[in-house]
């Protein structure tokens, strides 16, 4: 719509359209806010091979979730810079005494695990 095309609308309508457009623009500039992360305690990470550059290493990550986990939640594990866990596979997650096969994805040094 050209600026000339707006002249046939009353000033009030143009003002409302302008406010909506500015509001929409401001919303697109806001970053997405992730859900609040829960606190964890007693964190431990063990590896079955401590040799630098080793491949096929199995890691066990254990922690106490102080706020509980719900189905649909996501556990994110960030390895230090320099680790490449792109091809990692999550073999199991145990909570409340039960072991589950979760969906897991990884990229670079980050592993995301969906809570079943």
């Amino acid at each position: 719509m050209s600026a000339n095309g707006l002249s046939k609308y009353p000033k009030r309508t143009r003002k409302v359209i302008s406010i909506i457009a500015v509001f929409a623009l401001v919303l697109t500039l806001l970053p997405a806010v992730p859900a609040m992360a829960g606190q964890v305690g007693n964190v431990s990470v063990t590896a079955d091979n401590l040799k630098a550059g080793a491949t096929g290493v199995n890691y066990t990550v254990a922690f106490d979730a102080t706020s509980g986990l719900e189905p649909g939640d996501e556990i994110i594990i960030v390895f230090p810079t320099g680790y490449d866990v792109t091809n990692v596979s999550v073999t199991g997650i145990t909570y409340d005494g039960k072991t589950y096969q979760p969906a897991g994805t990884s990229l670079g040094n980050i592993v995301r695990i969906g809570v079943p």
Side-chain angles (χ1 to χ4, degrees):
M1 182 181 302
S2 69
N4 292 336
L6 285 176
S7 64
K8 64 182 178 182
Y9 295 104
K11 276 187 170 182
R12 181 172 168 87
T13 303
R14 287 186 298 202
K15 187 175 181 180
V16 170
I17 290 172
S18 297
I19 291 172
I20 291 171
V22 168
F23 185 68
L25 179 63
V26 168
L27 285 179
T28 61
L29 297 176
L30 294 176
V33 178
M36 193 113 184
Q39 297 294 317
V40 297
N42 298 322
V43 178
S44 68
V45 179
T46 55
D48 67 355
N49 186 340
L50 300 176
K51 185 177 179 182
T55 59
V57 179
N58 291 310
Y59 290 92
T60 301
V61 179
F63 59 89
D64 293 332
T66 57
S67 62
L69 294 170
E70 298 292 328
D73 285 350
E74 186 174 57
I75 299 168
I76 300 173
I77 301 169
V78 180
F79 284 81
T81 302
Y83 279 76
D84 184 5
V85 292
T86 300
N87 295 317
V88 73
S89 60
V90 179
T91 58
I93 180 173
T94 303
Y95 65 93
D96 289 337
K98 297 178 184 174
T99 301
Y100 301 91
Q101 289 297 128
T105 61
S106 59
L107 181 63
N109 66 328
I110 299 173
V111 178
R112 295 177 180 275
I113 305 166
V115 176

